[in-house]
Amino acid sequence: MKRKIAGAASHRTQKSQDIGIRRSTVKPLKAREERAPQLSPATLAFDINVPKGLKNILVNSRAQIKQGNLLVLPKEYKEYGSLPKEYKEYTVLEEEQKPPNVEEVFTDFASYYTNAKDKELESEEKKEALVAVITRGLLVYFEKTLGTNLLYVEERGQYAFLDNRYRSGVTATIDQDDDNSPFCHWYGADHLLRLLVKLPEILAQSSLDQYSIDLIGIYVKELLEWMDSKKDELFLPASLYRETPHWYQTDIRSRAQGGVQKPV
């Protein structure tokens, strides 16, 4: 009888040890997430060469934002008259200082590129149509990636403030031109530049064929060179950044709780 009891106890001990071993081999969820495979440079859809002048803009913009300052967006200039009184007292927006929004940047570049005799895209006959198709596609990418890929944490309050005030969760399309307008009417060249830098990584995860990716790569290369030549017109100087308004943080909390910040 004692042998049977001892045997059963030994069996339970061994089974417990086996379970412990199996459990110890399962990595915690957090560890698995931290070790998730990252996209390597070898898997980028196309090579990109950002001009030095634009690299400096990216670096300086990040430095300003991390110091607690924000860009005044093209949308804010346009809507200055209807912004809250507190907002108007906080900052002065001069219309002549308004930078072009993303859609305006694309429109100006498409006009330049289509009319340039020394610029080709597939062929001279197809260039205008291809430029129009690629431009529209990049506008859609901008709409889809702005909130998830292109903003610093410090900019999310600004995004929430405008989104709550003008869209309230409504999904806008790039063809709209009203209060529920798309992000490409709100944001400017600084945020477009961030998209272009990330685009090779984004397209590497898309279902686009290599022919389309190659055409986009040519377009982006030319666009970056053009933006570099026009940087004084497209990008705001550091002097036109402003301290982050305190109510932007209120908007983030309201949004997280499922509420909508009402206009003042």
Side-chain angles (χ1 to χ4, degrees):
M1 184 66 178
K2 290 183 179 180
R3 288 181 180 178
K4 287 183 180 181
I5 294 173
S10 176
H11 177 71
R12 284 196 299 271
T13 302
Q14 183 62 41
K15 186 176 180 180
S16 176
Q17 290 174 347
D18 291 343
I19 293 173
I21 293 171
R22 287 199 299 272
R23 284 177 177 169
S24 66
T25 60
V26 179
K27 296 178 180 179
L29 179 60
K30 185 176 180 181
R32 294 202 302 272
E33 289 175 346
E34 290 173 350
R35 297 183 183 182
Q38 300 295 317
L39 197 66
S40 67
T43 61
L44 298 182
F46 57 86
D47 293 330
I48 188 170
N49 182 25
V50 181
K52 185 177 180 181
L54 297 185
K55 286 182 180 178
N56 290 339
I57 287 172
L58 288 169
V59 171
N60 294 336
S61 177
R62 184 182 187 280
Q64 285 287 335
I65 291 167
K66 293 301 178 181
Q67 290 170 15
N69 301 318
L70 287 179
L71 282 164
V72 180
L73 303 178
K75 173 75 171 180
E76 295 175 290
Y77 285 94
K78 181 179 177 182
E79 302 295 340
Y80 179 69
S82 62
L83 288 173
K85 180 180 178 181
E86 182 183 9
Y87 193 99
K88 293 179 182 180
E89 293 174 348
Y90 183 80
T91 184
V92 177
L93 307 177
E94 301 294 340
E95 181 63 29
E96 60 268 20
Q97 295 176 321
K98 174 187 172 297
N101 63 37
V102 170
E103 185 177 60
E104 290 168 340
V105 173
F106 273 126
T107 299
D108 291 346
F109 172 71
S111 176
Y112 153 79
Y113 194 72
T114 301
N115 295 317
K117 299 300 182 183
D118 59 335
K119 306 293 184 184
E120 288 191 7
L121 195 65
E122 182 67 16
S123 68
E124 189 63 32
E125 295 74 22
K126 295 182 179 180
K127 182 168 69 171
E128 184 173 356
L130 287 172
V131 166
V133 170
I134 295 173
T135 298
R136 183 176 179 81
L138 293 182
L139 282 169
V140 171
Y141 270 112
F142 185 82
E143 296 299 310
K144 299 296 186 184
T145 60
L146 176 69
T148 56
N149 293 84
L150 306 183
L151 298 178
Y152 292 107
V153 172
E154 294 83 354
E155 296 176 297
R156 294 194 179 280
Q158 184 181 44
Y159 171 92
F161 175 83
L162 290 170
D163 196 25
N164 288 343
R165 185 174 181 81
Y166 294 106
R167 302 198 337 170
S168 300
V170 175
T171 301
T173 67
I174 61 174
D175 297 315
Q176 286 182 255
D177 191 21
D178 53 22
D179 278 351
N180 293 327
S181 59
F183 297 127
C184 61
H185 293 176
W186 299 1
Y187 287 79
D190 291 82
H191 293 84
L192 172 59
L193 180 57
R194 297 181 201 175
L195 170 66
L196 298 178
V197 170
K198 289 177 174 286
L199 198 60
E201 178 181 335
I202 294 171
L203 293 185
Q205 303 172 66
S206 74
S207 59
L208 286 177
D209 58 82
Q210 193 58 48
Y211 167 77
S212 300
I213 288 175
D214 290 343
L215 289 178
I216 294 171
I218 296 171
Y219 180 102
V220 169
K221 174 180 176 294
E222 296 288 352
L223 176 55
L224 286 171
E225 291 178 358
W226 178 82
M227 290 176 71
D228 187 45
S229 70
K230 300 279 187 180
K231 56 181 175 288
D232 291 339
E233 304 169 26
L234 300 178
F235 300 94
L236 286 176
S239 60
L240 291 181
Y241 280 71
R242 52 100 189 277
E243 185 180 349
T244 303
H246 64 82
W247 58 85
Y248 279 178
Q249 297 306 315
T250 303
D251 247 25
I252 285 183
R253 289 193 293 270
S254 173
R255 191 180 182 88
Q257 295 166 5
V260 175
Q261 186 79 2
K262 300 297 183 183
V264 176

